[in-house]
Amino acid sequence: MDMLITFFSENLLMIYVLLLAVFLGFEVISKVPTVLHTPLMSGANAISGVVIIGAILLIRQAESTDYLALTLGFIGIILGMINVVGGHAVTNRMLEMFKKKPAK
Amino acid sequence: MEFNQILEQIVNLGYLVGVLLFIIGLRQLSSPSTARRGNLIAAAGMGIAILVTLIVPMDKGADNYILILVALAIGTAIGLIASKRVAMTAMPQLVSLFNGLGGACAVAISVVELNDYQAAFEANGAGAIASGVHLTTLLAMFVGAVAFTGSLVAYGKLQGLIDDRKVRIPAPTYVNLFLLVVIIAGIVFKLVAPVNPFFWVMIVMGIALVYGITFVIPIGGADMPVVISLLNAFTGVAAALAGIVYGNQVMLVGGILVGSSGTILTVLMCEAMNRSLLNVIIGGFGSTGAAAAGSGDQVAREITVNDAAILLRYSNSVIMVPGYGMAVAQAQKVAHELEEVLEGMGVSVKYAIHPVAGRMPGHMNVLLAEADVPYPKLLDLDDANQALADTDVVIVIGANDVVNPAALDDPSSSIYGMPILEVLKAKNTIVMKRSMNPGYAGIQNPLFFKEKNRMLFGDAKKTLQDLVAEVKSLE
């Protein structure tokens, strides 16, 4: 228990950031037209690929003989990158369709 | 040392810019005129975050740059190809699949971290790693695992690989509750006595993976949009937890943004169906749906393409109600063609879009936009319900549950209370369907048996093409 408390006091700033980000997320999204629900979900999904940063850090920290870290990190980067690149590309494809309208 | 400090500052600045771009991107994504730019801005933020991560000064490790670059290249190639190749109709399941991969990524890094902790625990005892860090990593693995397998199941259901009606778990609520308790117990057990074998971590991971499956399996296919949005929020949370483990702000803020915005989006979708999130998760759509009695002996009347064409040609106003059937048949372009032909004959044609028509909110808007249907022709639920009273003919193209009047007047129906498009307000309705089978929610639709209604059986695209030809010949 003590260690949990130490963890919290040591990461106090992080926890503030976390709380503020929660509310920021709520506020940013709260008024969205239904039309944009799918692209928004897809865009947010791409952003959740930010977990790839962890995979990159992990593999950079690994010794070149640490095969578990290298293998899982390698797979992690591939999966994360598919999420990021594919997510943004698919979102862009959806939104491209909306764009044609005003031009017409 | 000097050089490393400079690098450190560049990295910090890069992460700050990255976070800022995420927020601006999300903001712009929620408004139609700026949405496309918003997506690109968020992508730029991600690019910057990834680039600066490559130059973070490390105090250990071999960097392994070649491996990283190869993995980045493979991921980019697969992501691009998948997103280019997928048909617009298959978009929802692709988003779900991508989301699952993000979850898997969180699991992969958590397992490696936990394995490192294990070595530290075994060498230096239980105090080697702070329990806060240990707990956060275990949670990241748990949430990531649920998002991973859950998304795969959602993908399977939408892709038609998993049949709702066949794959069932007995008493799913209890099974899920039990698994959840076991997972929490496993995490606590490992936390109190960190020197316990790594085997326990694997057990927690294994059960979390199973839980992801049993969590999504009982939820009906019609509710998959809500589930995908929720699992998307899970992946965000997993990323944020991993961000705490690494002390990485861009992961923390990016992950939490997705977590909270995904949750809000989930709630908005549930509201559109007039159900609570709990009801969606526990309810299991369709399991109570068999109760639609009394409609068995009723007869649905058919209409020929020819008669339908005449009815349309000589009406003043027509509203089309697209649904998943239109998406499956890829009929959006023909629908637009029919609209143009009719408009050319002085018939006013509009589209009524139900917020949950299709497999994702906004699914129909995307498809019709693809077919170049002008934006002002799309009516949302409230506007459509007002306009329907002055409408001569409603054509329902492969939609079912969203026009089911049982939602208004049959309290025993599982969709009772869901706002629907009240097509019966119009003078005539034509329902295009492949057969009399019930819709995705698995419930019978009394609309088919109403006096005003006529059925037009067949593949939506083929039937619409025939209709266009017939209407043209009437000129």
Side-chain angles (χ1 to χ4, degrees):
Chain A
M1 203 58 207
D2 270 359
M3 291 184 74
L4 275 180
I5 293 166
T6 344
F7 176 75
F8 276 119
S9 52
E10 274 171 3
N11 293 282
L12 202 57
L13 200 60
M14 208 70 154
I15 290 159
Y16 273 102
V17 172
L18 192 144
L19 284 176
L20 290 176
V22 168
F23 283 100
L24 190 62
F26 285 159
E27 287 307 313
V28 164
I29 300 301
S30 55
K31 276 200 179 131
V32 190
T34 327
V35 202
L36 284 178
H37 278 180
T38 302
L40 183 66
M41 188 205 285
S42 175
N45 173 39
I47 294 179
S48 73
V50 74
V51 68
I52 191 182
I53 305 275
I56 297 177
L57 290 175
L58 174 96
I59 210 168
R60 286 196 56 204
Q61 282 172 4
E63 297 304 334
S64 45
T65 48
D66 186 351
Y67 295 114
L68 177 77
L70 290 183
T71 315
L72 287 181
F74 186 73
I75 295 172
I77 294 181
I78 294 179
L79 298 181
M81 204 58 183
I82 296 176
N83 189 356
V84 169
V85 175
H88 282 300
V90 142
T91 314
N92 195 47
R93 240 187 96 186
M94 290 182 203
L95 292 170
E96 252 170 12
M97 293 171 183
F98 292 115
K99 223 196 132 212
K100 272 190 244 159
K101 238 52 46 44
K104 208 179 164 183
Chain B
M1 199 57 197
E2 274 290 300
F3 181 62
N4 273 358
Q5 277 170 351
I6 297 171
L7 277 187
E8 191 110 41
Q9 296 317 313
I10 296 176
V11 170
N12 287 339
L13 197 66
Y15 280 160
L16 190 67
V17 173
V19 165
L20 218 68
L21 293 183
F22 282 167
I23 298 169
I24 297 171
L26 262 184
R27 174 83 233 163
Q28 300 207 343
L29 259 174
S30 24
S31 163
S33 53
T34 54
R36 190 148 177 259
R37 193 174 54 203
N39 180 47
L40 297 177
I41 289 176
M46 186 68 81
I48 292 172
I50 291 176
L51 278 182
V52 297
T53 307
L54 293 174
I55 59 162
V56 175
M58 291 283 169
D59 45 11
K60 58 171 180 172
D63 278 338
N64 304 300
Y65 276 128
I66 296 172
L67 217 52
I68 295 177
L69 293 179
V70 171
L72 287 176
I74 296 176
T76 308
I78 298 178
L80 279 180
I81 293 170
S83 60
K84 286 262 150 30
R85 290 246 175 106
V86 66
M88 271 298 145
T89 42
M91 211 69 104
Q93 45 269 53
L94 188 70
V95 172
S96 181
L97 194 61
F98 284 156
N99 183 51
L101 299 184
C105 179
V107 175
I109 59 178
S110 310
V111 167
V112 176
E113 288 301 324
L114 287 165
N115 187 50
D116 286 353
Y117 301 167
Q118 188 72 25
F121 288 137
E122 275 162 20
N124 303 319
I129 303 284
S131 14
V133 176
H134 194 192
L135 172 66
T136 312
T137 316
L138 283 165
L139 286 178
M141 180 181 75
F142 164 42
V143 180
V146 175
F148 173 43
T149 49
S151 297
L152 289 189
V153 173
Y155 167 81
K157 284 198 175 203
L158 288 176
Q159 188 74 16
L161 301 174
I162 298 171
D163 189 340
D164 275 344
R165 281 155 258 243
K166 290 190 187 128
V167 188
R168 284 261 164 112
I169 300 167
T173 313
Y174 296 103
V175 171
N176 284 335
L177 219 55
F178 173 73
L179 291 178
L180 202 56
V181 169
V182 175
I183 291 167
I184 293 170
I187 290 177
V188 171
F189 185 63
K190 189 74 179 94
L191 221 48
V192 224
V195 262
N196 280 332
F198 193 64
F199 174 69
W200 288 101
V201 174
M202 290 291 102
I203 292 275
V204 169
M205 183 183 80
I207 298 178
L209 289 171
V210 174
Y211 178 69
I213 299 173
T214 56
F215 175 69
V216 179
I217 283 276
I219 303 174
D223 286 335
M224 277 307 120
V226 181
V227 175
I228 295 176
S229 179
L230 187 66
L231 293 172
N232 185 23
F234 281 10
T235 310
V237 171
L241 289 168
I244 297 178
V245 173
Y246 286 97
N248 186 299
Q249 287 84 354
V250 77
M251 285 171 79
L252 176 75
V253 178
I256 284 293
L257 273 179
V258 176
S260 58
S261 62
T263 311
I264 280 289
L265 203 52
T266 312
V267 172
L268 287 178
M269 290 180 193
C270 290
E271 273 172 9
M273 297 191 294
N274 201 18
R275 297 167 63 202
S276 71
L277 184 56
L278 199 68
N279 179 275
V280 169
I281 291 169
I282 293 179
F285 225 167
S287 48
T288 53
S295 53
D297 51 347
Q298 288 176 301
V299 186
R301 279 164 288 257
E302 269 192 73
I303 190 170
T304 63
V305 172
N306 194 348
D307 288 343
I310 292 171
L311 187 61
L312 289 171
R313 167 68 183 86
Y314 295 103
S315 57
N316 289 317
S317 53
V318 170
I319 287 187
M320 297 201 220
V321 179
Y324 191 61
M326 183 187 83
V328 171
Q330 292 278 9
Q332 60 272 23
K333 290 213 167 69
V334 201
H336 179 49
E337 199 185 338
L338 178 64
E339 165 221 320
E340 284 186 326
V341 172
L342 287 172
E343 285 271 344
M345 294 171 167
V347 184
S348 140
V349 184
K350 293 261 166 48
Y351 298 81
I353 313 290
H354 191 278
V356 295
R359 289 292 179 271
M360 267 192 159
H363 196 179
M364 293 301 125
N365 303 75
V366 174
L367 288 178
L368 291 172
E370 185 194 17
D372 288 330
V373 172
Y375 209 59
K377 284 204 167 288
L378 309 183
L379 304 177
D380 66 17
L381 187 63
D382 292 336
D383 291 342
N385 275 337
Q386 273 178 19
L388 279 167
D390 304 317
T391 302
D392 295 322
V393 187
V394 170
I395 317 174
V396 179
I397 309 171
N400 193 344
D401 299 325
V402 297
V403 294
N404 192 337
L408 298 177
D409 54 21
D410 181 4
S412 73
S413 171
S414 64
I415 60 165
Y416 180 68
M418 177 172 103
I420 59 155
L421 287 163
E422 295 163 34
V423 293
L424 283 170
K425 282 184 182 169
K427 295 196 184 71
N428 301 283
T429 62
I430 299 174
V431 174
M432 282 187 189
K433 249 180 133 303
R434 275 138 89 86
S435 68
M436 282 302 285
N437 289 338
Y440 220 95
I443 47 183
Q444 193 54 269
N445 192 338
L447 169 70
F448 303 160
F449 310 107
K450 298 283 184 204
E451 181 60 40
K452 277 181 185 175
N453 183 61
R454 294 291 182 273
M455 304 299 295
L456 189 50
F457 291 116
D459 172 75
K461 189 174 185 178
K462 173 81 175 52
T463 317
L464 278 171
Q465 279 166 343
D466 293 348
L467 259 182
V468 171
E470 280 293 332
V471 173
K472 273 184 179 162
S473 74
L474 289 171
E475 203 157 15

